[in-house]
Each structure stands twice: as C-alpha cells, then as structure tokens.
C-alpha cells in the first residue's frame, strides 16, 4: 500500500544496530523536509538515541562551493536534507 507508516520498522532497525539513512528532498510535494523532520522528531520515540540525535549539529553538504544539503547523524541514524530535490 502507498504511504504506510514506517516508524515501527525504523525503530526496530535502529534498536538492532542496523544503519538507517533517511533522505528527504526540499521540493518533495508529498513528504517534504519539514514533514520528514516532524516524523523523526515526534515518531521515533522508541529509539533511545533520539534525544542525543536531536542535539547534534547539522553539517552542511557542499559541492563545488555550493550548498547542496545538510546531514545530522548519531550512532546508526542519519537524516539527509537535500536542497533543490524532490
């Protein structure tokens, strides 16, 4: 089915030491960066690393001197915000 919640699956992976990368495009029409951030911050409450992940700095991704996005990571979880992508 389309657009099923994945919080339980992501928490299971994180809690079993599987590396999880979430990518979100700034221009995505269905689930943009703000929605994905909200999903992570309010949904992954079953992952003990969430409070520390929230405190981590976002690192800018630059290619050829041009900002292309940001990434925040902690332990086995990373959230990539990709600029000008959908």
């Amino acid at each position: 089915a389309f657009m099923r919640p994945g919080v339980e699956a992501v928490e299971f992976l994180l809690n079993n030491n599987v590396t999880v990368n979430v990518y979100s495009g700034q221009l995505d029409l269905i689930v943009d960066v703000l929605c994905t951030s909200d999903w992570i911050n309010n949904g992954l409450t079953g992952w003990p690393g969430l409070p520390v992940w929230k405190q981590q700095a976002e690192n800018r991704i630059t290619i050829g001197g041009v900002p292309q996005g940001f990434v925040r990571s902690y332990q086995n979880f990373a959230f990539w915000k990709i600029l000008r992508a959908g």
Side-chain angles (χ1 to χ4, degrees), residues 23-38 79 85:
Y23 300 88
S24 186
Q26 171 194 26
L27 304 176
D28 194 310
L29 296 176
I30 297 173
V31 183
D32 61 12
V33 169
L34 294 176
C35 291
T36 307
S37 294
D38 213 36
F79 176 39

Side-chain angles (χ1 to χ4, degrees), residues 44-56:
L44 294 181
T45 56
W47 176 49
L50 183 63
V52 178
W53 178 85
K54 287 180 179 182
Q55 296 175 5
Q56 302 304 303

